[in-house]
Amino acid sequence: MAKKLTQIAIYGKGGIGKSTTTSNLTAALSKMGFKVMQFGCDPKSDSTNTLRSGQYIPTVLDTLREKGSVKASDVIFEGFNGIYCVEAGGPQPGVGCAGRGIISSVELFKQQHVFEELDLDYVIYDVLGDVVCGGFATPIREGIAEHVFTVSSSDFMSVYASNNLFKGIKKYSNTGGALLGGVIGNSVTEKYSRDILDDFAERTKTQIMEYVPRSITVTQSELQGKTTIEAAPDSEQASVYRRLAQRIVDHHESSVPSPMEQDELRKWAASWSDQLLELESGVVIGGNRAGI
Ligand code: ADP
Ligand code: MG
């Protein structure tokens, strides 16, 4: 009997740590014995680099432009521990729709029944999250992904991008779109960052999957062109990524989030700003929630 394929999309603001988190997640899943594909959907095309010793791979769009037609096997490359790596790619700078790579790649893989033939357990899409153009919504809109996760720090711009993503998920939820699994906190080291993210998750009716700390082990591993799972499997950071992977394996029910309206989000942020000021000046002890 064919296995059940689970497709997951990971979104978040540019530079927030999506590719780092996704690659460590796929590396951890593959070490648990699952067959995994990492599908980079950022026009930067660097999603899978740390699974392949820092090397870029030819993208689906580049190969299409070059050859006119593409066999799936031309654009699937093997990475760490047998992970299948794909990069959708982007248009030439300044030309065309940046989401084109995702649309073309998903279409191509569907036509060639790639996922069924590879008998995969997980496909993880690493998608840009702050440009909510139609192309980037593909994994959500078409219900390709079953679960969506957002990578976020406690910085306002990052929370803002996550809140926008939640609006997109909500919009497509009545027409068979993907649902939200939760927030993966990244670079969450201080207690106040945890509190801010906890509060955001509570407000928007979702959950935190894991708090990933900022860590020099990640930097070191990246400089070697590797994930932390590969370069430092015995580190504390690697066990955080393994815990995240286990939580994702155990996750089955996603839901429709309750994004904040623009005004509400502004007020929410301002209340946290007041609270942090009080914390800094020592007026209150940490851990209080913004009381609005
Ligand atoms: P994105 O894919 O969201 O654009 P990346 O995964 O490429 O972001 O991460 C951007 C930079 O931040 C990279 O240099 C990466 O090594 C670093 N980074 C991400 N997460 C962490 C972390 N938890 N600790 C230390 N550095 C991190
Ligand atoms: Mg990236």
Side-chain angles (χ1 to χ4, degrees), residues 13-21 42 44 46 126 186-187 212-215 218-219 222 237 241:
K13 177 185 160 310
I16 202 62
K18 292 179 297 296
S19 302
T20 307
T21 311
D42 190 322
K44 263 199 294 177
D46 62 352
D126 172 10
N186 189 37
S187 295
V212 179
R214 188 148 194 94
S215 149
V218 172
T219 314
E222 187 190 39
Q237 190 76 2
Y241 288 125

Side-chain angles (χ1 to χ4, degrees), residues 17 32 50 68 70 72 89 159 169 182 184 190 209 234 240 243 245 250:
M32 288 159 84
T50 52
V70 173
V159 170
I169 293 175
I184 302 168
E190 304 291 332
M209 298 301 287
D234 300 328
V240 174
R243 210 160 56 216
D250 295 339

Side-chain angles (χ1 to χ4, degrees), residues 132-146:
V132 192
C133 96
F136 289 107
T138 308
I140 300 177
R141 195 182 47 204
E142 321 240 314
I144 292 169
E146 210 175 317

Side-chain angles (χ1 to χ4, degrees), residues 122-135:
Y122 289 96
V123 177
I124 317 243
Y125 299 87
D126 172 10
V127 198
L128 191 72
D130 41 4
V131 185
V132 192
C133 96

